[in-house]
């Protein structure tokens, strides 16, 4: 097959999938915003970005929809999300494939992302009958005190390219059962999967029957359009997923108008391999965590500390796995590693590797893999052995680079583990109870996710997802993350004939 034929195939496949999913062609043709596939580097579509006025009008429309939706009983709102789950199940193959085309994920990861959407829908349906408030003991006789959770308003969602659909679903499924409207600004690198997700939700809305118009809106465009969402006074909460750089801009802007921020930012995740570790298990977990999704997960394993007593057993095997890993077109091969999102990602990877060498790093891999697509960037995952944690190791480079360092003291390795700006995910490989528990304790890992004997990536939706420090502190998905999408009212009801004041205060008027 020729190079040109392959490129056309990818664009044609995308159009066929969009058609099957039911996306109006007018939304992705004839516009000035090009979208590309990292698989071949070819253009897929030409979208019409929203002007600032158009974006603002969509937000206003969602705010009007909220006024009706908040009055629908929560279990009934859950019915809409149940239908969304059904619609997603019906097009799982198509949407998963579209994710592979637009974000470059291997098929099982493209499908896995859609499965995550389905899982959060199931979770949210159950949640729609469990938006519990507390009843609290009051100090005053004949009184009752309780908490009520109310819908909040328009939930703004800003998402990154690397989870082009799941992150929206995490937010949208919860926001909708909580009684909110949703306005989504997807990554400008992955707008087609967003249009597809919106079409799927619209189908669920049509089946639901009487949901208000404007309940879910999508804004197409770059960060300038995202800024409209961030600054809009009718958006009381913005859930923003992306780089720490983005969070440094978005966080203060939201704070200025006292809006809530759910920030899900960069990670610089580490693993520790202890003397007692099951090395076979650690090897597999490290390989998936560091090379999976071509190193483009927020939870990708980027730093590995290996105890000196097992270093020579583990690291040569790891290097072998790196040398043998298959890199290739995720649509036409069984390769485990697909492309980087674009040239900038490849250039950043090369820059970090250059800096690592300058700091004494010994690099295996990292070179561009020759495939017959000039405009696509495939790279061999890189393993870099370093004497200590310096230079590029301290920052997230969104590419498959694993920095490997030796350690000999557990206290010191915990300190090194926590000595970076980000605080998303972490893991320890050990069979020693003391080490495992210490890692999970108050003076252990400082991350939002801390695992034992599993890798840093591949979280389930049932737990709250997010991280500390420069990762932004936000939580999405499971556990009680829903509380960020609602407002809490504390209600005190006096059913007595007296008016006692709290704290024994006396205020008797004549
Ligand atoms: P990015 O920061 O370049 O863009 C993310 C989104 O933010 C895009 O939609 C973009 O248009 C928007 N944006 C950027 N600047 C903005 C601004 N000033 N105002 C409003 N919107 C703005 O990130 P990316 O390259 O798409 O994704 C990779 C990054 O995302 C990595 O750092 C990764 O770790 C992070 N990420 C974090 C999580 C998490 O849950 N913590 C999940 C996925 C990705």
């Amino acid at each position: 097959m020729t190079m040109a034929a392959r490129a056309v195939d990818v664009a044609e496949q995308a159009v066929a999938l969009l058609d099957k999913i039911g996306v109006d062609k007018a939304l992705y043709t004839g516009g000035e915003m090009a979208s590309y596939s990292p698989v071949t580097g070819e253009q897929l579509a030409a979208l019409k970005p929203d002007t600032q006025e158009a974006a603002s009008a969509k937000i206003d429309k969602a705010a009007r929809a909220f006024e009706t939706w908040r009055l629908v009983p929560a279990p009934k709102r859950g019915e809409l999300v149940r239908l969304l789950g059904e619609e997603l199940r019906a097009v799982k193959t198509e949407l998963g494939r579209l994710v592979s085309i637009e974000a470059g994920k291997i098929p099982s990861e493209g499908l896995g992302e859609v499965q995550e959407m389905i899982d959060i829908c199931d979770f949210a349906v159950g949640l729609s009958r469990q938006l519990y408030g507390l009843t609290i003991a009051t100090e005053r006789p004949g009184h009752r005190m309780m908490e009520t959770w109310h819908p909040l308003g328009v939930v703004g969602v800003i998402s990154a390219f690397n989870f082009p659909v799941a992150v929206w679903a995490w937010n949208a499924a919860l926001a909708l059962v909580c009684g909110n409207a949703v306005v989504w600004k997807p990554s400008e690198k992955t707008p087609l999967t967003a249009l597809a997700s919106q079409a799927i939700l619209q189908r669920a809305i049509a089946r639901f029957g009487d949901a208000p118009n404007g309940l879910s809106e999508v804004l197409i465009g770059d960060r300038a359009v995202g800024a409209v969402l961030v600054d809009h006074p009718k958006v009381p909460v913005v859930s923003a997923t992306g780089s720490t750089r983005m969070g440094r801009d978005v966080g203060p802007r939201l704070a200025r108008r006292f809006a809530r921020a759910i920030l899900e930012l960069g990670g610089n995740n580490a693993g520790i391999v202890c003397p007692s570790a099951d090395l076979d298990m650690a090897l597999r977990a490290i390989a998936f965590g560091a090379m999976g999704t071509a190193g483009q997960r927020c939870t990708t394993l980027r730093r590995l500390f290996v105890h000196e007593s097992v270093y020579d057993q583990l690291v040569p095997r790891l290097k072998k796995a790196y040398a043998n890993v298959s890199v290739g077109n995720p649509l036409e091969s069984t390769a485990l590693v697909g492309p980087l999102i674009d040239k900038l990602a490849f250039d950043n990877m090369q820059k970090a590797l250059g800096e690592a060498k300058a700091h004494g790093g010994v690099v295996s891999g990292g070179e561009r893999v020759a495939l017959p697509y000039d405009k696509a960037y495939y790279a061999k995952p890189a393993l870099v052995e370093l004497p200590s944690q310096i230079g590029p190791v301290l920052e997230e480079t969104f590419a498959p680079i694993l920095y490997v360092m030796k350690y000999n003291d557990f206290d010191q390795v915990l300190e090194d583990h926590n000595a970076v700006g980000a605080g998303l995910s972490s893991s320890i490989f050990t069979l020693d109870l003391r080490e495992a528990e210490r890692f999970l304790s108050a003076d252990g890992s400082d991350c939002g996710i801390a695992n034992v004997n599993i890798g840093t990536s591949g979280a389930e939706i049932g737990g709250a997802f997010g991280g500390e420090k420069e990762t932004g502190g936000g939580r999405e998905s499971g556990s009680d993350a829903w509380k960020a999408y609602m407002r809490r009212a504390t209600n005190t009801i006096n059913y007595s004939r007296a008016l006692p004041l709290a704290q024994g205060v006396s205020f008797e008027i004549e």
Side-chain angles (χ1 to χ4, degrees):
M1 194 181 278
T2 67
M3 202 173 119
R6 282 171 188 264
V8 170
D9 277 354
V10 172
E12 273 178 3
Q13 275 183 51
V15 170
L17 291 164
L18 288 163
D19 215 33
K20 183 110 193 272
I21 293 170
V23 180
D24 180 355
K25 208 165 190 161
L27 292 174
Y28 60 88
T29 47
E32 60 273 24
M33 188 181 121
S35 97
Y36 300 91
S37 169
V39 175
T40 58
E42 295 303 312
Q43 185 170 339
L44 293 175
L47 298 95
K48 298 179 189 74
D50 281 295
T51 61
Q52 303 212 346
E53 293 70 31
S56 207
K58 284 184 179 176
I59 297 166
D60 287 334
K61 192 169 160 196
R64 286 193 296 278
F66 165 71
E67 286 175 13
T68 314
W69 187 242
R70 65 181 165 179
L71 301 176
V72 175
K76 188 157 183 229
R77 300 192 298 244
E79 170 62 10
L80 171 59
V81 174
R82 194 189 67 75
L83 293 171
L84 172 60
E86 272 189 15
E87 293 294 337
L88 283 166
R89 282 178 170 88
V91 290
K92 180 176 171 182
T93 312
E94 290 78 8
L95 187 58
R97 180 90 177 166
L98 198 59
V99 168
S100 289
I101 290 175
E102 204 178 33
K105 294 193 178 191
I106 62 172
S108 70
E109 292 193 63
L111 289 170
E113 188 163 345
V114 183
Q115 186 57 47
E116 210 168 326
M117 301 172 86
I118 294 167
D119 292 345
I120 194 71
C121 285
D122 288 353
F123 179 92
V125 174
L127 181 67
S128 72
R129 290 181 185 270
Q130 299 174 80
L131 302 171
Y132 301 137
L134 297 172
T135 304
I136 301 155
T138 132
E139 65 192 57
R140 288 171 280 187
H143 284 56
R144 185 161 71 84
M145 184 156 61
M146 64 181 189
E147 284 180 346
T148 313
W149 291 88
H150 294 298
L152 191 59
V154 174
V155 172
V157 180
I158 294 175
S159 60
F161 78 82
N162 67 320
F163 273 93
V165 289
V167 165
W168 166 76
W170 291 356
N171 285 281
L174 295 198
L176 288 171
V177 298
C178 288
N180 304 304
V182 182
V183 179
W184 177 21
K185 209 300 280 175
S187 167
E188 53 273 44
K189 294 175 186 171
T190 53
L192 297 180
T193 42
L195 293 177
S197 303
Q198 169 76 347
I200 294 164
L201 175 56
Q202 289 306 333
R203 234 184 347 265
I205 287 176
R207 282 176 64 197
F208 181 79
D210 55 354
N213 197 9
L215 188 59
S216 166
E217 295 287 339
V218 175
L219 308 180
I220 296 298
D222 60 14
R223 66 179 66 170
V225 176
V228 178
L229 196 55
V230 171
D231 292 336
H232 200 291
K234 289 187 185 153
V235 182
V237 58
V238 174
S239 171
T241 298
S243 58
T244 295
R245 182 203 52 71
M246 175 272 281
R248 281 193 209 288
D249 181 40
V250 167
R253 287 171 85 142
L254 291 169
R256 245 189 326 266
R257 64 178 184 87
F258 300 102
R260 286 188 201 169
I262 303 173
L263 296 179
E264 298 285 351
L265 310 176
N268 190 359
N269 317 295
I272 300 174
V273 182
C274 300
S276 65
D278 177 333
L279 294 183
D280 291 338
M281 186 191 270
L283 182 71
R284 285 184 53 216
I286 293 164
F288 172 64
M291 296 191 279
T293 329
Q296 298 171 115
R297 283 193 188 217
C298 51
T299 50
T300 291
L301 179 68
R302 307 198 180 278
R303 300 176 293 136
L304 185 68
F305 300 98
V306 185
H307 192 268
E308 59 184 12
S309 64
V310 290
Y311 193 94
D312 291 338
Q313 292 170 61
L314 179 72
V315 178
R317 289 176 70 190
L318 199 52
K319 279 191 187 162
K320 201 168 151 208
Y322 266 71
N324 292 339
V325 75
S326 47
V327 180
N329 180 330
L331 305 175
E332 293 180 359
S333 70
T334 54
L336 293 179
V337 177
L340 292 168
I341 190 70
D342 54 18
K343 179 174 187 302
L344 180 63
F346 180 76
D347 290 347
N348 286 341
M349 180 176 179
Q350 299 310 308
K351 186 163 163 266
L353 291 176
E355 286 170 13
K357 277 185 197 154
H359 283 97
V362 180
V363 177
S364 343
E367 62 278 6
R368 191 167 174 189
V369 173
L371 287 177
Y373 322 114
D374 297 344
K375 294 185 212 144
Y377 289 85
Y378 291 79
K380 199 91 184 160
L383 187 151
V384 183
E385 287 178 276
L386 268 167
S388 65
Q389 183 166 251
I390 42 170
V393 189
L394 298 168
E395 299 296 327
E396 176 193 57
T397 300
F398 215 54
I401 304 176
L402 179 65
Y403 299 108
V404 184
M405 293 154 284
K406 212 177 258 183
Y407 84 91
N408 58 27
D409 177 75
F410 194 63
D411 286 326
Q412 182 61 46
V413 81
L414 282 183
E415 207 171 296
D416 291 343
H417 176 277
N418 292 342
V420 293
L424 181 53
S425 187
S426 58
S427 65
I428 191 167
F429 295 90
T430 182
L431 300 180
D432 180 326
L433 183 70
R434 288 183 179 141
E435 285 172 338
E437 289 290 340
R438 172 84 191 282
F439 187 72
L440 303 182
S441 76
D443 68 345
S445 162
D446 63 2
C447 293
I449 299 168
N451 295 333
V452 177
N453 292 332
I454 66 164
T456 53
S457 66
E460 295 177 27
I461 59 92
F465 183 90
E468 304 301 335
K469 304 192 292 183
E470 290 178 6
T471 304
R475 291 296 186 277
E476 292 170 324
S477 200
S479 184
D480 63 352
W482 62 271
K483 290 181 175 172
Y485 303 80
M486 300 197 88
R487 66 182 173 86
R488 177 196 325 231
T490 301
N491 313 126
T492 309
I493 302 149
N494 178 2
Y495 60 92
S496 75
R497 292 179 195 284
L499 190 73
L501 300 180
Q503 295 90 40
V505 171
S506 164
F507 197 84
E508 295 304 328
I509 53 170
E510 291 302 313

